[in-house]
Amino acid sequence: WPDALERTARAVAEMHRAEAHMFTETTDITDQIGQVRGMLTRMVPECQELVDSLSSRLMTSDALKPSASSNLVHGDLHHGQLLIGEGKVGVIDFDRVHGGDALEDVGNFCAQLWLGPRDGRGWEFEPACEQFIDGYERARQARIDRARVSTWMALSLFRSALTPLGRFETSWRQRVRTILAEAQRVLP
């Protein structure tokens, strides 16, 4: 995994160097947060206080406000969107591509690492996320704002809290609570 994460970080950094002027900005994040909030409070009313707190903090976060610079953003970056071969990494499935903050992809990738395999055959989340971010910084030859990454990760987790509902997981209520608790934990 270490080599694959390093190569993935390089490929993502290279993708983020692409011109983004031809792509539109993503839909309004506050609308997205409001929609997720509404669905979660209807489906898991016992989590309303946590959902309200998270949605309020995310909606007012400066880290999620549009910036003057715009990068090409994949919009759904996770390990399933990567083709990893000998010395190369390909990124696929650009149906959510848009112009925006490159750290959205970095935060989403880390969130998807956290959501990933929990069966003992996968990776340890925190070292894998740190390794990906470190590799991304090396490829960009610049430090990135890790608090922004954490905020994007929290937003990705918040959105992903709906996933157990759609998969009809047997313990979906507990899984939703666990995902929301992690979003709360990582949100600066």
PDB file of all heavy atoms in Angstrom, residues 153-172:
ATOM      1  N   MET A 153     -12.960  16.573   4.506  1.00  0.00           N
ATOM      2  CA  MET A 153     -13.183  15.191   4.930  1.00  0.00           C
ATOM      3  C   MET A 153     -14.472  15.084   5.739  1.00  0.00           C
ATOM      4  O   MET A 153     -15.281  14.173   5.536  1.00  0.00           O
ATOM      5  CB  MET A 153     -11.992  14.689   5.744  1.00  0.00           C
ATOM      6  CG  MET A 153     -12.150  13.253   6.199  1.00  0.00           C
ATOM      7  SD  MET A 153     -10.731  12.725   7.192  1.00  0.00           S
ATOM      8  CE  MET A 153     -11.367  11.182   7.813  1.00  0.00           C
ATOM      9  N   ALA A 154     -14.681  16.029   6.651  1.00  0.00           N
ATOM     10  CA  ALA A 154     -15.905  16.028   7.456  1.00  0.00           C
ATOM     11  C   ALA A 154     -17.140  16.165   6.567  1.00  0.00           C
ATOM     12  O   ALA A 154     -18.145  15.475   6.788  1.00  0.00           O
ATOM     13  CB  ALA A 154     -15.855  17.158   8.487  1.00  0.00           C
ATOM     14  N   LEU A 155     -17.068  17.032   5.556  1.00  0.00           N
ATOM     15  CA  LEU A 155     -18.201  17.182   4.639  1.00  0.00           C
ATOM     16  C   LEU A 155     -18.458  15.878   3.886  1.00  0.00           C
ATOM     17  O   LEU A 155     -19.611  15.449   3.741  1.00  0.00           O
ATOM     18  CB  LEU A 155     -17.958  18.324   3.649  1.00  0.00           C
ATOM     19  CG  LEU A 155     -19.044  18.501   2.589  1.00  0.00           C
ATOM     20  CD1 LEU A 155     -20.406  18.771   3.218  1.00  0.00           C
ATOM     21  CD2 LEU A 155     -18.656  19.606   1.615  1.00  0.00           C
ATOM     22  N   SER A 156     -17.403  15.231   3.433  1.00  0.00           N
ATOM     23  CA  SER A 156     -17.554  13.967   2.727  1.00  0.00           C
ATOM     24  C   SER A 156     -18.180  12.906   3.626  1.00  0.00           C
ATOM     25  O   SER A 156     -19.073  12.159   3.203  1.00  0.00           O
ATOM     26  CB  SER A 156     -16.199  13.488   2.200  1.00  0.00           C
ATOM     27  OG  SER A 156     -16.341  12.278   1.506  1.00  0.00           O
ATOM     28  N   LEU A 157     -17.742  12.834   4.863  1.00  0.00           N
ATOM     29  CA  LEU A 157     -18.328  11.888   5.809  1.00  0.00           C
ATOM     30  C   LEU A 157     -19.798  12.216   6.080  1.00  0.00           C
ATOM     31  O   LEU A 157     -20.644  11.318   6.150  1.00  0.00           O
ATOM     32  CB  LEU A 157     -17.530  11.860   7.113  1.00  0.00           C
ATOM     33  CG  LEU A 157     -16.153  11.224   7.025  1.00  0.00           C
ATOM     34  CD1 LEU A 157     -15.336  11.536   8.285  1.00  0.00           C
ATOM     35  CD2 LEU A 157     -16.258   9.722   6.815  1.00  0.00           C
ATOM     36  N   PHE A 158     -20.096  13.499   6.228  1.00  0.00           N
ATOM     37  CA  PHE A 158     -21.470  13.931   6.466  1.00  0.00           C
ATOM     38  C   PHE A 158     -22.367  13.453   5.319  1.00  0.00           C
ATOM     39  O   PHE A 158     -23.431  12.870   5.549  1.00  0.00           O
ATOM     40  CB  PHE A 158     -21.513  15.458   6.607  1.00  0.00           C
ATOM     41  CG  PHE A 158     -22.859  16.019   6.946  1.00  0.00           C
ATOM     42  CD1 PHE A 158     -23.417  15.841   8.199  1.00  0.00           C
ATOM     43  CD2 PHE A 158     -23.563  16.761   6.009  1.00  0.00           C
ATOM     44  CE1 PHE A 158     -24.662  16.365   8.521  1.00  0.00           C
ATOM     45  CE2 PHE A 158     -24.809  17.297   6.317  1.00  0.00           C
ATOM     46  CZ  PHE A 158     -25.356  17.101   7.568  1.00  0.00           C
ATOM     47  N   ARG A 159     -21.921  13.688   4.092  1.00  0.00           N
ATOM     48  CA  ARG A 159     -22.683  13.211   2.922  1.00  0.00           C
ATOM     49  C   ARG A 159     -22.782  11.683   2.923  1.00  0.00           C
ATOM     50  O   ARG A 159     -23.819  11.121   2.576  1.00  0.00           O
ATOM     51  CB  ARG A 159     -21.996  13.646   1.632  1.00  0.00           C
ATOM     52  CG  ARG A 159     -22.057  15.116   1.329  1.00  0.00           C
ATOM     53  CD  ARG A 159     -21.216  15.378   0.099  1.00  0.00           C
ATOM     54  NE  ARG A 159     -21.201  16.752  -0.312  1.00  0.00           N
ATOM     55  CZ  ARG A 159     -20.200  17.317  -0.969  1.00  0.00           C
ATOM     56  NH1 ARG A 159     -19.141  16.611  -1.303  1.00  0.00           N
ATOM     57  NH2 ARG A 159     -20.265  18.573  -1.325  1.00  0.00           N
ATOM     58  N   SER A 160     -21.690  11.024   3.280  1.00  0.00           N
ATOM     59  CA  SER A 160     -21.640   9.556   3.247  1.00  0.00           C
ATOM     60  C   SER A 160     -22.469   8.908   4.343  1.00  0.00           C
ATOM     61  O   SER A 160     -22.712   7.702   4.290  1.00  0.00           O
ATOM     62  CB  SER A 160     -20.185   9.075   3.364  1.00  0.00           C
ATOM     63  OG  SER A 160     -19.440   9.502   2.238  1.00  0.00           O
ATOM     64  N   ALA A 161     -22.909   9.681   5.324  1.00  0.00           N
ATOM     65  CA  ALA A 161     -23.738   9.118   6.392  1.00  0.00           C
ATOM     66  C   ALA A 161     -25.043   8.569   5.832  1.00  0.00           C
ATOM     67  O   ALA A 161     -25.686   7.733   6.472  1.00  0.00           O
ATOM     68  CB  ALA A 161     -24.007  10.163   7.467  1.00  0.00           C
ATOM     69  N   LEU A 162     -25.426   8.984   4.633  1.00  0.00           N
ATOM     70  CA  LEU A 162     -26.638   8.462   3.999  1.00  0.00           C
ATOM     71  C   LEU A 162     -26.416   7.084   3.374  1.00  0.00           C
ATOM     72  O   LEU A 162     -27.370   6.350   3.139  1.00  0.00           O
ATOM     73  CB  LEU A 162     -27.120   9.421   2.911  1.00  0.00           C
ATOM     74  CG  LEU A 162     -27.621  10.776   3.398  1.00  0.00           C
ATOM     75  CD1 LEU A 162     -27.808  11.723   2.215  1.00  0.00           C
ATOM     76  CD2 LEU A 162     -28.910  10.614   4.181  1.00  0.00           C
ATOM     77  N   THR A 163     -25.177   6.713   3.119  1.00  0.00           N
ATOM     78  CA  THR A 163     -24.861   5.470   2.403  1.00  0.00           C
ATOM     79  C   THR A 163     -25.435   4.220   3.065  1.00  0.00           C
ATOM     80  O   THR A 163     -25.999   3.377   2.366  1.00  0.00           O
ATOM     81  CB  THR A 163     -23.337   5.348   2.210  1.00  0.00           C
ATOM     82  OG1 THR A 163     -22.877   6.506   1.513  1.00  0.00           O
ATOM     83  CG2 THR A 163     -22.977   4.109   1.422  1.00  0.00           C
ATOM     84  N   PRO A 164     -25.305   4.030   4.377  1.00  0.00           N
ATOM     85  CA  PRO A 164     -25.860   2.810   4.980  1.00  0.00           C
ATOM     86  C   PRO A 164     -27.370   2.660   4.748  1.00  0.00           C
ATOM     87  O   PRO A 164     -27.883   1.546   4.679  1.00  0.00           O
ATOM     88  CB  PRO A 164     -25.553   2.954   6.468  1.00  0.00           C
ATOM     89  CG  PRO A 164     -24.387   3.884   6.526  1.00  0.00           C
ATOM     90  CD  PRO A 164     -24.584   4.830   5.371  1.00  0.00           C
ATOM     91  N   LEU A 165     -28.077   3.782   4.603  1.00  0.00           N
ATOM     92  CA  LEU A 165     -29.514   3.725   4.338  1.00  0.00           C
ATOM     93  C   LEU A 165     -29.766   3.109   2.963  1.00  0.00           C
ATOM     94  O   LEU A 165     -30.616   2.244   2.811  1.00  0.00           O
ATOM     95  CB  LEU A 165     -30.124   5.128   4.375  1.00  0.00           C
ATOM     96  CG  LEU A 165     -29.967   5.911   5.659  1.00  0.00           C
ATOM     97  CD1 LEU A 165     -30.354   7.366   5.451  1.00  0.00           C
ATOM     98  CD2 LEU A 165     -30.810   5.303   6.747  1.00  0.00           C
ATOM     99  N   GLY A 166     -29.025   3.563   1.979  1.00  0.00           N
ATOM    100  CA  GLY A 166     -29.203   3.086   0.612  1.00  0.00           C
ATOM    101  C   GLY A 166     -28.761   1.653   0.401  1.00  0.00           C
ATOM    102  O   GLY A 166     -29.219   0.978  -0.512  1.00  0.00           O
ATOM    103  N   ARG A 167     -27.872   1.179   1.249  1.00  0.00           N
ATOM    104  CA  ARG A 167     -27.379  -0.200   1.135  1.00  0.00           C
ATOM    105  C   ARG A 167     -28.177  -1.182   1.987  1.00  0.00           C
ATOM    106  O   ARG A 167     -27.876  -2.359   2.006  1.00  0.00           O
ATOM    107  CB  ARG A 167     -25.902  -0.249   1.545  1.00  0.00           C
ATOM    108  CG  ARG A 167     -25.008   0.459   0.568  1.00  0.00           C
ATOM    109  CD  ARG A 167     -23.570   0.276   0.953  1.00  0.00           C
ATOM    110  NE  ARG A 167     -22.711   0.979   0.026  1.00  0.00           N
ATOM    111  CZ  ARG A 167     -21.481   1.345   0.290  1.00  0.00           C
ATOM    112  NH1 ARG A 167     -20.944   1.044   1.460  1.00  0.00           N
ATOM    113  NH2 ARG A 167     -20.773   1.983  -0.601  1.00  0.00           N
ATOM    114  N   PHE A 168     -29.150  -0.677   2.695  1.00  0.00           N
ATOM    115  CA  PHE A 168     -29.983  -1.499   3.574  1.00  0.00           C
ATOM    116  C   PHE A 168     -29.143  -2.348   4.531  1.00  0.00           C
ATOM    117  O   PHE A 168     -29.430  -3.524   4.749  1.00  0.00           O
ATOM    118  CB  PHE A 168     -30.935  -2.390   2.761  1.00  0.00           C
ATOM    119  CG  PHE A 168     -31.832  -1.618   1.850  1.00  0.00           C
ATOM    120  CD1 PHE A 168     -31.660  -1.666   0.477  1.00  0.00           C
ATOM    121  CD2 PHE A 168     -32.832  -0.810   2.370  1.00  0.00           C
ATOM    122  CE1 PHE A 168     -32.486  -0.940  -0.368  1.00  0.00           C
ATOM    123  CE2 PHE A 168     -33.662  -0.074   1.531  1.00  0.00           C
ATOM    124  CZ  PHE A 168     -33.483  -0.147   0.159  1.00  0.00           C
ATOM    125  N   GLU A 169     -28.078  -1.735   5.078  1.00  0.00           N
ATOM    126  CA  GLU A 169     -27.245  -2.441   6.042  1.00  0.00           C
ATOM    127  C   GLU A 169     -28.090  -2.761   7.278  1.00  0.00           C
ATOM    128  O   GLU A 169     -28.896  -1.945   7.716  1.00  0.00           O
ATOM    129  CB  GLU A 169     -26.034  -1.583   6.416  1.00  0.00           C
ATOM    130  CG  GLU A 169     -25.087  -1.354   5.251  1.00  0.00           C
ATOM    131  CD  GLU A 169     -23.894  -0.481   5.609  1.00  0.00           C
ATOM    132  OE1 GLU A 169     -23.614  -0.285   6.815  1.00  0.00           O
ATOM    133  OE2 GLU A 169     -23.242   0.002   4.671  1.00  0.00           O
ATOM    134  N   THR A 170     -27.867  -3.933   7.837  1.00  0.00           N
ATOM    135  CA  THR A 170     -28.689  -4.368   8.973  1.00  0.00           C
ATOM    136  C   THR A 170     -28.527  -3.454  10.183  1.00  0.00           C
ATOM    137  O   THR A 170     -29.484  -3.215  10.906  1.00  0.00           O
ATOM    138  CB  THR A 170     -28.364  -5.820   9.373  1.00  0.00           C
ATOM    139  OG1 THR A 170     -26.975  -5.937   9.618  1.00  0.00           O
ATOM    140  CG2 THR A 170     -28.795  -6.780   8.287  1.00  0.00           C
ATOM    141  N   SER A 171     -27.342  -2.973  10.412  1.00  0.00           N
ATOM    142  CA  SER A 171     -27.107  -2.080  11.550  1.00  0.00           C
ATOM    143  C   SER A 171     -26.906  -0.644  11.062  1.00  0.00           C
ATOM    144  O   SER A 171     -26.043   0.071  11.547  1.00  0.00           O
ATOM    145  CB  SER A 171     -25.892  -2.560  12.343  1.00  0.00           C
ATOM    146  OG  SER A 171     -24.748  -2.592  11.504  1.00  0.00           O
ATOM    147  N   TRP A 172     -27.750  -0.223  10.120  1.00  0.00           N
ATOM    148  CA  TRP A 172     -27.555   1.068   9.474  1.00  0.00           C
ATOM    149  C   TRP A 172     -27.643   2.237  10.436  1.00  0.00           C
ATOM    150  O   TRP A 172     -26.903   3.190  10.304  1.00  0.00           O
ATOM    151  CB  TRP A 172     -28.500   1.246   8.289  1.00  0.00           C
ATOM    152  CG  TRP A 172     -29.959   1.331   8.622  1.00  0.00           C
ATOM    153  CD1 TRP A 172     -30.849   0.317   8.680  1.00  0.00           C
ATOM    154  CD2 TRP A 172     -30.693   2.514   8.930  1.00  0.00           C
ATOM    155  NE1 TRP A 172     -32.092   0.779   9.011  1.00  0.00           N
ATOM    156  CE2 TRP A 172     -32.031   2.135   9.168  1.00  0.00           C
ATOM    157  CE3 TRP A 172     -30.352   3.853   9.043  1.00  0.00           C
ATOM    158  CZ2 TRP A 172     -33.021   3.049   9.500  1.00  0.00           C
ATOM    159  CZ3 TRP A 172     -31.345   4.770   9.369  1.00  0.00           C
ATOM    160  CH2 TRP A 172     -32.660   4.367   9.596  1.00  0.00           C
TER     161      TRP A 172
END
